[in-house]
Amino acid sequence: MNTTLKTGKAIVIGGSMAGLMTARILSDYYEEVLIVEKDEFPAEPDLRPGTPQAFHPHRFTARGKSITDRLFPGYEDDLVALGSPPSLNKTVFFLNQYGSLEMKYQRNDIKFSRSVLEWVIRNRVRSIPNVRFLLKYDVIRLLTTTDRSAVIGVEARDRDQAGQTKTFTADLVVDTSGRSSKLASWLDETGYEVPAPDLLKVSLGYSTRRYKVPPHLTHIIEKWDVINLMGQPDKGTFSGVFSFIENQTAEVLLYRPGGNYPPTEAEEFERAVAQLPSPIIAEIVREFEPVGAPRGFRVPELYCHRYEQMKRWPAGLLVLGDAYCIYDPIFGQGMTVAAISVETLEACLREERNNPRSGWEKRTLGKIKEAIEPAFWLNCTADLRWEGVEYAGSDERRGNVFAEEYMELYLKHAVTKPDWQLYGLYWAVNTLSVSPGKIFNPQMALEVLSASEEGRQLLESIPQQDGKPIEAMLSEMLPKFAEGPFELAER
């Protein structure tokens, strides 16, 4: 972008992946971008207090990777230089209650830990001349105009000097502070009516253990990409996922919603791995060298804020990433959703620059919500199958029993047939590469449900309406999502 078009100042609250990607986009539109971060960043790729989930597996979906590579061209080369392995033509193995599928992975994705990825992207952002970091500062409130119609900056507290605060003014403030976001209370204190968020009371837990691969076993890294043994809700079993990260390190994750948490004690963890529906993971890691004890992480509930429903929204304020909505980590959607949100912000900034109109922030918020809505719905649909998981919210698509049963029969059909095209579409939808409408449409539903006795029974359970074709009735029963957020991904 022509730098002469840059005007004003932007503040990004939070320096994790969502904040770094946001700062990258804002640097094209604002003369100065300030990232306010509560942590002090490590001097090398390492964990930090502000991202307690960072020890556990992270990934980009194909769409998230594509967006990130456009924003930071060649970032995967930096990952490789830090020891991250490729995945091209390595073996992928899936197992669920309906059977198993094994294939060669056709994309050359680079596998990484969250710490290494953040290190690479943070260094890229540090090199942008008009972006600077303010570390070890907690944002404690928003600064507004006298009539409170616009946000004009933030007040932040210095962590090194207790009680000392500073104010920072800006033309735009973007909250990317993640799960620790206080935006709802800040807006409430400022006099705005904030709707209650949608909640999925999921009580999920996951535990991860890392292993060093001995030199005589490094051929295993050349063979395997990922092994995913999916938990079975009707039996209450753990999911188990095996993969590799940088520097000849393997990681194993155990996961389950519903309040039955996987163990974090070493012997119990290894016993749980051995009790997974297939012994394949336990057999592989038996000769590996454990790196420390397993680490656990607990998520009592998933939330999706309803900021886009607010009657009034202050100018100069946006929110994205985990500060807006959080997801079940087993689906690996979080970083991709952040990337999609940033891409949406970029398109809205471009439109605003070319055709300035008041209220662009509220419009942007609505478009971001359209982009992230499918991920939260898919999470709810999958997790509500587990005993002990409950939904509390206002979206009438939640609890769509027909859609939940259809999705389960779709997966069963794809695996038992087996049909890699249908199974690939299932994962493409769940990883936000294509619209859920590719699965939730009358033609696909009729094809899948007509292929099994269970499916035909579900079709027959639909109340008949005189003269109305089954396709029309299916169209009314299946959930609908905006197509706009997927147009770029599907071109």
Side-chain angles (χ1 to χ4, degrees), residues 255-315:
Y255 156 95
R256 218 209 85 158
N260 184 2
Y261 302 127
T264 55
E265 194 278 328
E267 290 186 8
E268 292 181 7
F269 182 91
E270 299 298 336
R271 192 177 304 119
V273 172
Q275 292 171 351
L276 290 169
S278 166
I280 186 170
I281 295 178
E283 290 173 354
I284 290 175
V285 301
R286 186 173 296 138
E287 296 183 71
F288 290 179
E289 301 167 6
V291 181
R295 300 191 190 185
F297 192 71
R298 308 290 180 256
V299 182
E301 59 190 20
L302 308 179
Y303 60 77
C304 197
H305 284 289
R306 288 291 172 186
Y307 294 131
E308 80 289 347
Q309 294 182 353
M310 291 171 59
K311 295 179 180 179
R312 296 188 306 125
W313 180 263

Side-chain angles (χ1 to χ4, degrees), residues 97-98 200 376-386 389-391 395-412 426 439-440 448-449 458 477-479:
Q97 63 266 42
Y98 304 122
L200 187 67
F376 192 73
W377 187 88
L378 289 163
N379 279 199
C380 291
T381 300
D383 288 345
L384 283 168
R385 296 181 298 130
W386 292 82
V389 178
E390 299 177 359
Y391 170 76
D395 192 332
E396 62 185 15
R397 289 174 298 192
R398 315 295 184 225
N400 185 328
V401 176
F402 179 85
E404 293 172 12
E405 292 181 2
Y406 164 59
M407 194 68 163
E408 193 67 16
L409 288 172
Y410 179 101
L411 179 61
K412 182 177 181 180
Y426 171 85
I439 285 179
F440 291 103
V448 169
L449 295 177
L458 184 58
M477 299 184 70
L478 294 169

Side-chain angles (χ1 to χ4, degrees), residues 96-101 404-426 438-439 443-456 458-459:
N96 60 26
Q97 63 266 42
Y98 304 122
S100 62
L101 291 169
E404 293 172 12
E405 292 181 2
Y406 164 59
M407 194 68 163
E408 193 67 16
L409 288 172
Y410 179 101
L411 179 61
K412 182 177 181 180
H413 179 65
V415 174
T416 55
K417 194 176 178 180
D419 189 323
W420 268 113
Q421 184 174 358
L422 286 180
Y423 194 72
L425 184 57
Y426 171 85
K438 297 295 184 181
I439 285 179
Q443 294 73 29
M444 178 65 78
L446 192 58
E447 174 188 337
V448 169
L449 295 177
S450 299
S452 69
E453 180 61 30
E454 291 173 283
R456 290 189 288 272
L458 184 58
L459 284 173

